[in-house]
Amino acid sequence: MKIFQEGDKSKAFCSHCANTVGTTFVRRDVPFSDGKGLAKNILVGTCDTCGLTVSIPAQSTPAISKARKESTGSIEVNLPAVFVDVLDYAAFAIDSRASTEFRKTVLTFFMHRAAHDTNAVERLRGMRLVADERYPTRRGTARRRLSMKVSASLLKEVQSLERQTAMNTTDLVKSMVCVVQDDVLTMPRPELLAQLRVISAISA
């Protein structure tokens, strides 16, 4: 496989010029096709006639893939501190060596799993009431901020769950924490714990 450098010449089809054209490899920022984000400073082939990007060499693919993964959204909630404590305890039960950052991995794993489970919506709706019963909010209750960077695809899944459950982000997260508590701490499921331990080992 040929490795190209800036200034190298090649040929490619240009849709704007409707012809096969000479190209020059340069570095530039290239927006993603969906318009959400861009890959910065990657090597591309540009049309010598109109200047448009007309080709991307294979060597630029890893940089594009990395940039796509880093195109993120965020989940920000302010919760009674006990919900974060539950996540931390669950993370510890999965892997006692994991840092507290693993709490975010656990939560996003459960969010992704719920987005692809036809029974999850009803369970989450039920957990909304359970969350209030287990951990009622009183005046002076300590609160903690939970902030997570997530992929664009996971953010869409979370937003879909919010619509289906008719919950805001905070209530959805509180409900999901109760799901985590039941499945990891109260009635641990061995196959689920094994899967999460593999994820912990990979993400460590």
Side-chain angles (χ1 to χ4, degrees), residues 6-182:
E6 292 176 75
D8 284 353
K9 297 288 186 177
S10 188
K11 290 184 179 294
F13 182 80
C14 176
S15 58
H16 180 264
C17 297
N19 201 0
T20 299
V21 298
T23 63
T24 302
F25 285 94
V26 300
R27 290 193 175 273
R28 62 170 51 167
D29 296 346
V30 178
F32 298 137
S33 57
D34 59 8
K36 298 177 180 178
L38 74 166
K40 295 184 177 181
N41 196 34
I42 64 168
L43 192 71
V44 298
T46 58
C47 175
D48 288 341
T49 302
C50 69
L52 291 181
T53 298
V54 294
S55 66
I56 298 176
Q59 70 199 64
S60 293
T61 302
I64 294 171
S65 177
K66 182 175 183 292
R68 172 66 80 176
K69 289 179 181 177
E70 290 175 349
S71 177
T72 60
S74 63
I75 297 174
E76 310 258 350
V77 290
N78 192 294
L79 301 165
V82 65
F83 287 94
V84 180
D85 291 343
V86 170
L87 278 179
D88 285 346
Y89 189 19
F92 181 83
I94 294 163
D95 184 352
S96 61
R97 299 164 299 176
S99 71
T100 54
E101 287 298 301
F102 186 54
R103 73 165 80 103
K104 300 176 183 179
T105 303
V106 173
L107 185 58
T108 55
F109 171 87
F110 273 82
M111 288 287 194
H112 176 71
R113 189 181 68 150
H116 297 272
D117 181 354
T118 55
N119 298 316
V121 170
E122 285 305 315
R123 186 182 185 192
L124 285 168
R125 286 173 179 161
M127 282 296 182
R128 174 67 187 87
L129 298 175
V130 171
D132 287 342
E133 291 172 358
R134 285 183 189 174
Y135 308 113
T137 302
R138 301 181 178 89
R139 177 175 294 187
T141 296
R143 304 184 73 85
R144 291 179 65 183
R145 188 167 189 79
L146 188 64
S147 177
M148 302 185 298
K149 291 292 185 182
V150 299
S151 67
S153 59
L154 182 63
L155 184 59
K156 287 182 180 178
E157 291 175 347
V158 171
Q159 291 168 341
S160 176
L161 286 172
E162 289 173 2
R163 288 192 298 271
Q164 293 179 73
T165 59
M167 291 188 214
N168 59 33
T169 306
T170 299
D171 286 341
L172 178 64
V173 170
K174 288 165 67 175
S175 300
M176 191 64 73
V177 170
C178 288
V179 171
V180 173
Q181 181 179 1
D182 284 358

